[in-house]
Amino acid sequence: MADYDYDVLVIGAGPGGYVAAIRAAQLGLKTACAEGRETLGGTCLNVGCIPSKAMLHASEYYDAAANGAMEKMGIKVKPQLDLDTMHGQRKDAVKGLTGGIEFLFKKNKVDWLKGYAKFTSADTVVLRQAQDGTEKSVRAKNIIIATGSSVTPLPGVEVDNDKQVIVDSTGALELAKVPEHMVVIGGGVIGLELGSVWRRLGAKVTCVEFLDQILPGMDGDVRKEANKIFKKQGIEFKLKTKVTKAEVKGRKAVLTLEPAAGGDAEMLEADVVLVSIGRRPNTDGLALDKAGLATNQRGQIEVDHDFRTAVDGIWAIGDVVPGPMLAHKAEDEGIACAENIAGLTGIVNHDVIPSVVYTMPEIAGVGLTEEAAKEKGEVKVGKFPMLANSRAKTNHEPDGFVKVIADAKTDRVLGVWCIASVAGTMIAQAAQAMEFGATSEDIAYTCHAHPTHSEAIKEAAMAVTGKPIHI
Ligand code: FAD
Ligand code: NAD
């Protein structure tokens, strides 16, 4: 240790990095975390999961008041939007949570090193302070790269968050007024979540998606049903369409749209355009070559099952490595990686990582889609509509279903998919059951509290090999 500054240096304080740093310190390792931003928490806490959920939560209340959902339950209200206050509570949530990580760093004796890190060799980085450009060299026995990801740019459509005409997700969280017409490029998670926020607050929203269906990677039935629900809510979809150019004219943008397969172009005017076509790993500026590392074709850093890179002593986790770009995946990898560095056995089961779209209703899944499961062998599928779930029906939340996919021979659950108001919460039990190798029968014979939305998971499991009761 004598000539090392730290046992572990983590680069990046997002959910991957800050969790890895805390776990390493808890395990008795002398730990520092370098972060280029002025606050801890990475994309997730500053401009991602948390602020988007703050806007989704608040706009859901507004929508319920504006669209008659409250009136149906005997509450007559005429909502008045105070967007500044809505933004204020978003900022408060971010401030509270990022400050919380600062507190946890102090509590666990993790040194927060401010500045952007760049390798000078396999065990040394220099930290460059954004404010004054001063540099400091830090040497560590183990270095964890947790630099996360940023927005994938779309050629011809230049983002300028300050102007608030063509924005990325960070800009779309900050809009000073509700757009009249918002065009969302990309029918993925960000487009649907942030498109929903501004649709609920009064914008007309058009979503342009390159593929023939929204939400790629999700179960086919779920994608179709979600599309129907969002259409019913008023989002207009232009599927199999790509945006090839955007011109800003004053406070408006004029977009050129072309059929994905080629053909005549059409023009579309918008006062806000959200570019949400995916994210790419952050490795620029790290000088990976100085450490003897390279990225793969997708710009990611390859790791083995223990999160070791090709260079001894350098590890990588989170959005910068292959796999879904999700905060909880990054966190679990952070814990496992720190445990492996400490000589323990840290494992992440990448087959059981839930994913959730926090719209209303929520859309959640874990494990294989029906399509992927069928490619691997014979399956049995059980489905149950939320319309037949007593709690959802009582709460006026009829949309959605639960689908359980099991191996036809062993009955082992391979995947669970839900569209329901609280699908994000419901999916946890499916992930836990799958982690324990549950069969559909195990879920069907587990007592579920009544009346809960989760009973729909039990009934869908009952439908795999037999019959549900309530349909
Ligand atoms: P990040 O959170 O990106 O953190 C990396 C950190 O490293 C950053 O703070 C960056 O400043 C720092 N950094 C980069 N390079 C350097 C360097 N050279 N030196 C020092 N520091 C550096 N996921 C979910 O699971 N649920 C959600 O609800 C959800 N919502 C999202 C909403 C939006 C709008 C967005 C954009 C993303 C959302 N995500 C969500 C994805 C989630 O934010 C990411 O998967 C997660 O933050 C990845 O964690 P990470 O630690 O790998 O990287
Ligand atoms: P995404 O990959 O979810 O969706 C991008 C969509 O854009 C895809 O449907 C793709 O087909 C489409 N697309 C790509 N190029 C296009 C083009 N030129 N024209 C039209 N459509 C095009 O990406 P995202 O929504 O930007 O989100 C990025 C990442 O952030 C995701 O990986 C996601 O995991 C993460 N995220 C997660 C959550 C959550 O967990 N709730 C929320 C937000 C973001």
Side-chain angles (χ1 to χ4, degrees), residues 315-370:
W315 313 68
I317 56 169
D319 280 10
V320 80
V321 306
M325 288 181 165
L326 295 171
H328 42 280
K329 178 245 186 199
E331 288 188 44
D332 285 8
E333 290 182 346
I335 291 174
C337 181
E339 290 177 349
N340 287 328
I341 290 173
L344 305 175
T345 308
I347 296 170
V348 176
N349 179 2
H350 285 99
D351 291 337
V352 183
I353 308 266
S355 65
V356 182
V357 188
Y358 295 88
T359 45
M360 177 52 88
E362 292 178 347
I363 302 161
V366 61
L368 297 178
T369 62
E370 185 174 342

Side-chain angles (χ1 to χ4, degrees), residues 271-299:
D271 42 358
V272 174
V273 177
L274 164 60
V275 180
S276 49
I277 59 162
R279 295 178 61 82
R280 60 177 188 186
N282 288 333
T283 54
D284 287 355
L286 270 177
L288 289 178
D289 54 319
K290 293 275 177 13
L293 271 176
T295 55
N296 68 14
Q297 278 192 329
R298 304 190 62 197

Side-chain angles (χ1 to χ4, degrees), residues 183-420:
V183 173
V184 170
I185 310 178
V189 197
I190 292 182
L192 293 168
E193 286 188 353
L194 295 181
S196 290
V197 165
W198 295 106
R199 198 269 312 146
R200 291 168 186 175
L201 298 180
K204 169 180 154 61
V205 174
T206 307
C207 174
V208 182
E209 166 57 51
F210 183 78
L211 300 174
D212 61 356
Q213 192 48 279
I214 57 170
L215 292 174
M218 293 212 148
D219 182 86
D221 273 348
V222 167
R223 295 174 70 188
K224 255 187 265 158
E225 184 65 18
N227 191 209
K228 260 198 246 162
I229 293 170
F230 291 128
K231 266 192 207 160
K232 204 168 70 182
Q233 291 177 353
I235 298 183
E236 195 183 311
F237 289 93
K238 287 185 180 289
L239 303 177
K240 295 194 259 181
T241 306
K242 61 182 176 188
V243 175
T244 51
K245 202 168 115 191
E247 263 185 280
V248 178
K249 293 185 177 160
R251 303 284 326 141
K252 303 238 181 238
V254 180
L255 301 175
T256 308
L257 272 52
E258 285 177 30
D264 293 341
E266 63 170 306
M267 310 303 263
L268 190 63
E269 203 180 75
D271 42 358
V272 174
V273 177
L274 164 60
V275 180
S276 49
I277 59 162
R279 295 178 61 82
R280 60 177 188 186
N282 288 333
T283 54
D284 287 355
L286 270 177
L288 289 178
D289 54 319
K290 293 275 177 13
L293 271 176
T295 55
N296 68 14
Q297 278 192 329
R298 304 190 62 197
Q300 299 155 325
I301 299 173
E302 294 279 352
V303 285
D304 68 9
H305 202 63
D306 296 332
F307 309 102
R308 288 174 208 276
T309 67
V311 174
D312 241 14
I314 306 184
W315 313 68
I317 56 169
D319 280 10
V320 80
V321 306
M325 288 181 165
L326 295 171
H328 42 280
K329 178 245 186 199
E331 288 188 44
D332 285 8
E333 290 182 346
I335 291 174
C337 181
E339 290 177 349
N340 287 328
I341 290 173
L344 305 175
T345 308
I347 296 170
V348 176
N349 179 2
H350 285 99
D351 291 337
V352 183
I353 308 266
S355 65
V356 182
V357 188
Y358 295 88
T359 45
M360 177 52 88
E362 292 178 347
I363 302 161
V366 61
L368 297 178
T369 62
E370 185 174 342
E371 297 76 26
K374 277 182 174 158
E375 272 175 28
K376 291 183 180 243
E378 215 186 312
V379 297
K380 281 192 175 167
V381 175
K383 253 177 108 170
F384 189 80
M386 293 314 293
L387 188 63
N389 170 271
S390 61
R391 186 66 183 275
K393 203 168 158 58
T394 306
N395 289 3
H396 315 279
E397 297 161 343
D399 289 333
F401 60 81
V402 174
K403 178 174 181 177
V404 174
I405 304 150
D407 184 297
K409 286 192 199 82
T410 64
D411 191 34
R412 191 171 170 151
V413 177
L414 302 173
V416 177
W417 294 87
C418 314
I419 301 184

Side-chain angles (χ1 to χ4, degrees), residues 352 354 356 364 366 418 422-434 457:
V352 183
V356 182
V366 61
C418 314
V422 288
T425 306
M426 289 161 70
I427 206 66
Q429 71 147 305
Q432 193 157 38
M434 286 174 66
I457 293 194

